[in-house]
Structure formats: C-alpha cells, structure tokens
Amino acid sequence: MRLFLQLVTVAVVALAGGLVVSAVQWNTPLTLVLGLGSAALAVFAYRWIVRRTEDRVPAEITKNNAALGRGLVIGFGLFACVIGNIALVGGYDVLGWGSVGGALALFGFSAAAAVTEELLFRGILFRFVERWTGTWLALTLTGLLFGLSHLFNAHATFWGAVAIAVEAGGMLAAAYAATRTLWLPIGLHFAWNFAEGGIFGTGVSGTDAPDGLLHAVTSGPAALTGGEFGPEASLYSVVAGVVATAVFMVLARRRGHIVPLRGRTAATATVVA
C-alpha cells in the first residue's frame, strides 16, 4: 500500500506538470518556469508522502549540493564523451549557433523530467524492489521498466528502449545505490539530458524539441548516432552507461550498500543458527 500511495502521489504531480509544460508548446519563459516549478513540487510531494507512509524524514532527498554537483559533472562529462566519439567518426556536425531561448526552455523541461523520473524510478520503485529482492535484481527490473517507459516517446524504437534500460536505468540506479542520495542521479540525469538537447542540439529520447545552444545534425549509421531517437540509442551511450554502472556498483560494494537477495540472506541466517 505504501508503494502504491507513493507512486500515485508523485505520478499525479509528474503527469500534471508534464501536461502543463507540453501545453505551452516550448514557450521559453513558461517552459522554464513551469518545468522548474514541476520539479520543486514533485520533491515536495515525495517528501510529504514518504513522511506520511513511512513515518520518517526521507534522507535520500535531503538537500545535498555536493552530490548534485558531482552528478552534474558526471552527466555532462559522460555525454560530452559520447558526442565527441560520434563526431570523431563523422556522425555529428555543428552547423552554427542555435537558440538561447530553446536552451532555456530545455533547461526547464530537463529539470522536470530528471527530478520526476528519479523520484519515481529510483526514489520509489528501486527502493521498494531492492528491499524485497536485493540490489542487483532491483537494478535490473527497474532498469527494464525505465527503458520500456520510453517506448511511448516520439520516434521510439525497441532498440532505443533497450539502450535506455541498460545505459540509463542501470546507471542511475547504481548511482543511487553507491551514494544513497537521489541528488546525484538527479544531477547526472539532468546534465546528460540538458547537454544532449540544450547544449549540443541533438535529440533527447526521441522527443521533438527546439534547438539548443548549437544547431547541429547527426548522420551515418543509427547504431553509432542513435538515429531519430537521438544519441541515447547510440552504442557509444550504451558503453558509457555500462562503464559508469560498473564503477558505481564497485563503489556501492566497497561502501557496504549492496542489499543481498532475500532468499540468500535467509539461507545464511539459517546456516549460522
């Protein structure tokens, strides 16, 4: 029941925010303000419902500027590596300057998407599934759900959903497992998306959006560029996500943050007894 109440509460805020942001059709000031407002409201709703249903202060969303900053640096750095590799094989070309207004609108849009998705998939789903099944299975299951949720996007493909599940669903869950704060995956998620659309001017998960700071085009094999879905469907993104996931999970193991399978825990307890 707690899982259901938390999902419904945050999902209602996310859905309402998404509808309002979509309704203004990329109007720069409205998209920026409404996107940031939706993100803030989602955080408030998450804190409120967790306190009501779990009778605790949600430490995972307590203000943590250091974690947010690290997430921003990691997210931007990873995507810069991806787009740099695509450019090296001739798949990315900058045609000129794009739109500052478009970049600002994408800033608000990216903030709303990153915050609401992290609260839903890592803050709620991953936490509960991990409690029931352990870290590794929770990472796998919620990663798959995260990928499948992107099948509803414009220009979505099955491969794009698989790529998102592997590179983002796994990486962001691992980032939370390693740090036990939602601010690092929020920062990582936001910086990746904003760099993708708001700075480098490429598609974001198949979403139709205005130009960012750069007006650019991708060309060549979809396996390398991601095609119409955007660079997230590129093999370079998958490799970057897998490497980052591995690093985060090594950190999680060293810090003792890995929750074992419930069955394994019970079997161990029986042997010890």
Side-chain angles (χ1 to χ4, degrees), residues 23-119:
V24 301
Q25 299 182 337
W26 296 107
N27 175 281
T28 296
L30 289 178
T31 303
L32 177 62
V33 171
L34 291 172
L36 294 174
S38 297
L41 185 58
V43 171
F44 174 83
Y46 179 86
R47 286 174 174 158
W48 177 80
I49 194 62
V50 169
R51 284 175 175 170
R52 290 291 299 271
T53 57
E54 297 186 43
D55 194 27
R56 68 178 180 88
V57 175
E60 67 274 10
I61 200 64
T62 299
K63 184 178 178 181
N64 191 330
N65 291 335
L68 178 63
R70 285 192 291 271
L72 292 172
V73 171
I74 295 169
F76 180 82
L78 281 174
F79 187 77
C81 288
V82 169
I83 205 68
N85 276 286
I86 294 175
L88 283 175
V89 297
Y92 174 78
D93 293 294
V94 177
L95 304 181
W97 290 108
S99 166
V100 173
L104 289 174
L106 282 161
F107 189 96
F109 177 84
S110 300
V115 170
T116 56
E117 289 179 5
E118 290 314 300
L119 292 175

Side-chain angles (χ1 to χ4, degrees), residues 114-266:
V115 170
T116 56
E117 289 179 5
E118 290 314 300
L119 292 175
L120 285 168
F121 284 94
R122 264 59 69 175
I124 300 173
L125 282 174
F126 179 81
R127 275 197 312 110
F128 276 89
V129 176
E130 182 186 43
R131 194 178 303 165
W132 300 331
T133 67
T135 301
W136 284 104
L137 192 53
L139 184 148
T140 302
L141 293 175
T142 58
L144 288 173
L145 285 174
F146 189 64
L148 290 173
S149 71
H150 287 74
L151 281 174
F152 300 99
N153 292 10
H155 310 299
T157 63
F158 178 74
W159 163 247
V162 171
I164 290 283
V166 173
E167 80 207 18
M171 175 177 64
L172 294 167
Y176 172 71
T179 60
R180 296 300 164 175
T181 173
L182 288 169
W183 288 113
L184 193 139
I186 286 173
L188 198 167
H189 192 157
F190 167 79
W192 173 289
N193 282 5
F194 183 65
E196 193 172 19
I199 296 177
F200 292 102
T202 61
V204 183
S205 306
T207 302
D208 292 318
D211 276 340
L213 290 178
L214 298 175
H215 175 53
V217 294
T218 56
S219 59
L224 297 181
T225 66
E228 291 188 339
F229 191 75
E232 283 169 328
S234 165
L235 287 172
Y236 289 120
S237 291
V238 174
V239 171
V242 169
V243 170
T245 300
V247 171
F248 281 129
M249 291 307 289
V250 168
L251 288 174
R253 185 178 183 83
R254 288 179 178 175
R255 294 170 179 176
H257 291 176
I258 301 293
V259 177
L261 285 169
R262 172 173 286 189
R264 182 180 298 176
T265 304

Side-chain angles (χ1 to χ4, degrees), residues 2-17:
R2 290 182 298 177
L3 171 62
F4 175 77
L5 291 173
Q6 290 182 22
L7 280 175
V8 168
T9 300
V10 178
V12 166
V13 173
L15 178 61

